[in-house]
Amino acid sequence: MTRHAATETGMDALTHKQTKLARLARRVYRYRWYYLMMLPGLVYFLIYHYLPMVGVVIAFKDFNLIKGIWHSPWVGLKHFEEIFTSPDIYRTIRNTLMISTYRIIFGMLPDLLLALILNEIRVRWFKRTVQTITYGPYFLSWVIVYALAFSFLAPESGLVNTLLRHLGMNPIDFLTNQEYFRTILVTTDIWKNTGFGAVIYLASLAAINPQLYEAAVVDGAGRWRQLWHITLPGIRNVFLLLLILRIGHIMDAGFEQVYIFLNARVYETGDIIDTWVFRRGLENLEFSMATAVGFFKGVVGLVLVIGANKLAKRFGGSGIW
């Protein structure tokens, strides 16, 4: 290649790059107000979610409050070795995975069913009333939910045990019984969050083109056929999106709820990673250990989200990206 040809090739590449930058600038200017509205959210995530990730270096140090993050001695993978040699970690991982799996299996279908039922109701005032009643518990704190559960399940004054005594049966201490603890967690989670989940599905149902239903009626399709061939495919991507997000949080299992309901008698079936980390990290001031567990959870969650997203795309879904 001659020097003149090489110069022309370089000029063409530079011109092409300038053209792309000009197109990008025009696109940014065209949607400038959308980017401006995104800015507060981006700043929030940058300050409160991404900048604190610098502190993950504590997991590889023997953190000392007086010395600070950067002057604490480096210990490498010491805390990760302590985690996986702890006699409690495998029990907490098992409990976390089981509770999260129960939440996914039994918690997503009630949201979908409630949305489908509300979508079929044609009386507006009744639909809004039911939606308000089912959506209300979402705004209650888990402390209040526990108080309500205690009023039903308390061994002496609980409504359920009072009924059992009237029937000549022995009362059951539900809240301190390992056999019932996970069931109580999943049941109260369904009661609290089903209304909120149904709102998401109702929004996606509203986006389905009504002409599809009109065409189905002309073709002689009944309500069940319309549900199977139009409604469910119309909300499939939303269902997969929520499923992927839940899989990404499978290592969480709902710390606030579990911590409030947890007691020493149900540690064997109810103690999860977050409650174990809370005791080790805050009560025992083992900050490096807690950070190491958080780092481990984040890596596992990232892998699960990427894997679930690929599976969703393989089965015809849109995924997250």
Side-chain angles (χ1 to χ4, degrees), residues 91 113 262 286 307:
R91 181 197 68 191
L113 291 175
L262 191 65
E286 299 179 23

Side-chain angles (χ1 to χ4, degrees), residues 7 14 18 20 49 56 64 82 144 154 172 229 240 250 265 272 277 280 316:
T7 303
L14 181 61
Q18 290 175 345
K20 290 180 65 176
H49 290 268
V56 77
N64 187 291
E82 291 180 3
I144 297 176
I172 302 173
H229 294 287
L240 291 175
I250 199 170
R265 297 183 63 179
I272 62 174
V277 168
R280 296 289 297 268

Side-chain angles (χ1 to χ4, degrees), residues 9-23:
T9 303
M11 292 293 293
D12 291 341
L14 181 61
T15 304
H16 180 68
K17 186 175 182 180
Q18 290 175 345
T19 304
K20 290 180 65 176
L21 289 175
R23 289 178 180 174

Side-chain angles (χ1 to χ4, degrees), residues 42-216:
L42 293 176
V43 171
Y44 165 78
F45 277 97
L46 177 65
I47 295 176
Y48 294 103
H49 290 268
Y50 288 100
L51 288 180
M53 290 177 66
V54 177
V56 77
V57 72
I58 296 175
F60 304 95
K61 292 190 171 189
D62 194 2
F63 178 67
N64 187 291
L65 285 172
I66 298 176
K67 295 180 179 179
I69 296 177
W70 306 116
H71 295 92
S72 297
W74 185 272
V75 294
L77 300 177
K78 171 188 172 183
H79 299 296
F80 293 93
E81 294 175 358
E82 291 180 3
I83 290 171
F84 293 105
T85 55
S86 172
D88 298 326
I89 189 63
Y90 295 105
R91 181 197 68 191
T92 57
I93 291 177
R94 183 190 69 237
N95 293 339
T96 302
L97 293 176
M98 291 187 69
I99 293 173
S100 295
T101 303
Y102 291 156
R103 287 173 181 271
I104 294 174
I105 294 175
F106 299 106
M108 293 193 69
L109 289 180
D111 302 351
L112 179 59
L113 291 175
L114 179 60
L116 294 175
I117 293 172
L118 291 174
N119 190 55
E120 296 297 323
I121 297 176
R122 295 294 176 259
V123 183
R124 281 194 170 184
W125 67 267
F126 183 72
K127 178 179 179 179
R128 291 176 179 175
T129 302
V130 174
Q131 189 172 350
T132 302
I133 293 174
T134 55
Y135 189 50
Y138 177 76
F139 297 98
L140 300 178
S141 69
W142 280 115
V143 176
I144 297 176
V145 175
Y146 177 78
L148 293 173
F150 186 83
S151 65
F152 278 89
L153 303 176
E156 298 297 331
S157 58
L159 181 62
V160 175
N161 281 315
T162 301
L163 180 61
L164 290 177
R165 279 193 291 267
H166 282 300
L167 295 175
M169 302 171 63
N170 293 325
I172 302 173
D173 196 353
F174 292 99
L175 297 174
T176 59
N177 193 316
Q178 296 182 10
E179 296 180 3
Y180 298 102
F181 185 74
R182 292 172 182 164
T183 303
I184 293 172
L185 289 180
V186 175
T187 303
T188 52
D189 180 72
I190 292 173
W191 177 77
K192 186 177 187 296
N193 295 316
T194 295
F196 176 77
V199 171
I200 299 175
Y201 287 115
L202 284 172
S204 61
L205 287 170
I208 299 176
N209 191 347
Q211 293 181 354
L212 296 175
Y213 292 103
E214 295 173 3

Side-chain angles (χ1 to χ4, degrees), residues 27-47:
R27 189 179 300 115
V28 171
Y29 181 77
R30 181 187 304 174
Y31 299 107
R32 59 190 181 279
W33 299 115
Y34 293 100
Y35 290 117
L36 186 61
M37 287 188 290
M38 285 173 53
L39 187 60
L42 293 176
V43 171
Y44 165 78
F45 277 97
L46 177 65
I47 295 176

